[in-house]
Amino acid sequence: MTARPSDYTISCIVPVHNEGPDILGFLRQLHGLLKKQTSRFEIVLVDDGSTDDSLFAVAAEAEALCLVLVRFSRNFGKEAAMTAGLQKARGDVVIIIDADLQEPMEVIPQMLEHWHAGYDMIYAVRDSRKDETLLKRIGVRLFYYLMAQGNSTEVPPDARDFRLMDRKVVAALNQLPERNRFMKGLFSWVGFRSLAIPVRIAPRRIGRSSFSFLRLAELALTGITSFSNVPLRIWGGIGFVISLMAFLFALYTIVKTLVFGADVPGFPTIVVSIMFFTGIQLLSIGILGEYISRVFIEVKQRPHYLIAEEIDRSPLRDPAA
Ligand code: UDP
Ligand code: MG
């Protein structure tokens, strides 16, 4: 294992979507904390199509806060914002943290210690979900259960996007070209020596979460379809079982007819079986469609995001450029 350099640089990526005026306070606090860790660092702020005006104030302080400000042309989602941040980040160590002060930035020094000790990725895991609704907790459990089925990439339950990564992890992530980006899956997929540390997630003080139940469900679907083909394969098994049942029923009917003669068949049986098998077929076509639509998104090869404006006041920028 190679020793970590004592003179290392840090990039801290912050995805932002309508976080209101509190963002400036958060950035000052983060700047103060990073300054204690190393002399050279940058904060990569990705404005994911915010429609409030809080970032105007931030732009004015870009120099003092060592900011790289990347403004998307519209809202592309947190996964795209993190992707952009990872591509812009230049530090030896890269940290991703939410802008809403829910995640405890005090653990960053602890994460750095683990990095010095040889870990390449140190990620936060929320210690409790007691503050969430029952419906969300059930949904989350179901999601991680489905993710674990026949999936070679183990996605640790309750992991946050809040994490610290070595440069080589970021280089690996930047090689992944897919459009259907479920970052928590990609973080696990790349591997490297990883360590989970439990953190307490504070309640949101202002504003509200951008992730509604529907949006979380959409993200979950992206996660499952991009990391598992069990939903596709399962239909082979179901088809086999149904065919077997049909064959046995045919045998039974032949024998019954030969022994007892033909009688008038029951309409309910026919109606129910037609409805049942149509349902099964539509369901399987629907799942097929889900995967095809994602293949369609991939082949279009559209960029992950579009940048409307970029301000670079990072001390890490190449002076020649
Ligand atoms: N975020 C973003 N783009 C979005 C939604 C959210 O960049 O489309 C940012 C948001 O500003 C915050 C982080 O992602 O910094 C987490 O969002 P949020 O707090 O709404 O999610 P939660 O904490 O409920 O998971
Ligand atoms: Mg939050």
Side-chain angles (χ1 to χ4, degrees):
M1 200 191 69
T2 50
R4 306 295 191 197
S6 55
D7 174 34
Y8 59 92
T9 56
I10 301 180
S11 296
C12 195
I13 300 169
V14 185
V16 180
H17 178 63
N18 290 351
E19 290 295 349
D22 242 22
I23 182 80
L24 203 58
F26 163 80
L27 289 172
R28 288 194 186 125
Q29 205 176 323
L30 184 65
H31 183 273
L33 185 130
L34 292 173
K35 207 158 86 180
K36 286 196 205 122
Q37 315 304 319
T38 181
S39 56
R40 295 180 69 230
F41 64 90
E42 62 182 5
I43 298 177
V44 182
L45 197 101
V46 184
D47 174 12
D48 185 10
S50 292
T51 44
D52 61 3
D53 55 6
S54 52
L55 284 152
F56 289 121
V58 172
E61 291 203 30
E63 191 81 46
L65 290 169
C66 308
L67 281 187
V68 179
L69 220 149
V70 179
R71 205 186 299 264
F72 282 179
S73 64
R74 63 169 171 85
N75 181 243
F76 281 88
K78 189 185 175 190
E79 313 299 300
M82 289 190 283
T83 302
L86 288 169
Q87 285 166 354
K88 298 287 172 195
R90 286 165 284 211
D92 302 317
V93 169
V94 177
I95 299 166
I96 300 181
I97 188 166
D98 282 359
D100 54 11
L101 287 162
Q102 283 189 272
E103 297 174 324
M105 64 171 82
E106 310 82 71
V107 305
I108 290 177
Q110 195 188 334
M111 288 175 156
L112 274 165
E113 271 171 39
H114 291 299
W115 175 73
H116 279 294
Y119 285 101
D120 295 317
M121 176 146 53
I122 299 99
Y123 60 95
V125 174
R126 66 186 305 155
D127 63 351
S128 140
R129 285 192 178 267
K130 287 208 178 71
D131 53 324
E132 294 181 331
T133 61
L134 186 67
L135 185 66
K136 187 168 172 198
R137 275 187 281 169
I138 293 172
V140 167
R141 284 285 145 257
L142 179 70
F143 169 69
Y144 283 111
Y145 171 76
L146 290 174
M147 280 303 273
Q149 302 310 306
N151 183 351
S152 52
T153 311
E154 221 177 283
V155 180
D158 301 336
R160 306 279 303 177
D161 291 320
F162 178 29
R163 59 190 64 219
L164 182 147
M165 289 164 279
D166 187 74
R167 164 65 27 202
K168 57 177 177 271
V169 178
V170 177
L173 287 166
N174 286 344
Q175 279 178 35
L176 305 180
E178 57 249 73
R179 268 75 193 150
N180 286 287
R181 290 184 96 72
F182 176 62
M183 292 306 291
K184 287 190 187 79
L186 300 180
F187 290 140
S188 315
W189 186 88
V190 295
F192 296 97
R193 288 194 67 197
S194 307
L195 181 76
I197 55 172
V199 299
R200 171 128 312 162
I201 301 302
R204 226 178 208 282
R205 288 191 314 184
I206 56 147
R208 45 199 289 257
S209 172
S210 308
F211 289 90
S212 61
F213 195 77
L214 220 68
R215 212 170 147 185
L216 278 177
E218 176 68 34
L219 186 64
L221 210 57
T222 303
I224 290 168
T225 49
S226 48
F227 283 92
S228 171
N229 48 18
V230 171
L232 281 176
R233 286 200 176 145
I234 203 170
W235 298 105
I238 292 176
F240 179 78
V241 171
I242 289 176
S243 307
L244 197 70
M245 276 165 31
F247 179 72
L248 294 177
F249 189 65
L251 275 185
Y252 163 77
T253 312
I254 290 169
V255 172
K256 195 177 142 203
T257 311
L258 288 177
V259 177
F260 301 107
D263 57 0
V264 181
F267 281 113
T269 324
I270 296 175
V271 173
V272 169
S273 55
I274 287 179
M275 274 167 44
F276 174 70
F277 292 113
T278 320
I280 289 265
Q281 280 170 17
L282 287 178
L283 196 65
S284 63
I285 293 172
I287 290 183
L288 208 62
E290 194 56 49
Y291 278 85
I292 291 177
S293 77
R294 286 169 199 277
V295 174
F296 184 48
I297 291 169
E298 293 300 334
V299 296
K300 279 190 281 192
Q301 291 273 313
R302 288 192 183 148
H304 296 113
Y305 52 84
L306 292 174
I307 293 175
E309 191 190 348
E310 200 173 336
I311 299 171
D312 191 351
R313 297 282 180 276
S314 163
L316 308 187
R317 69 178 183 275
D318 186 0

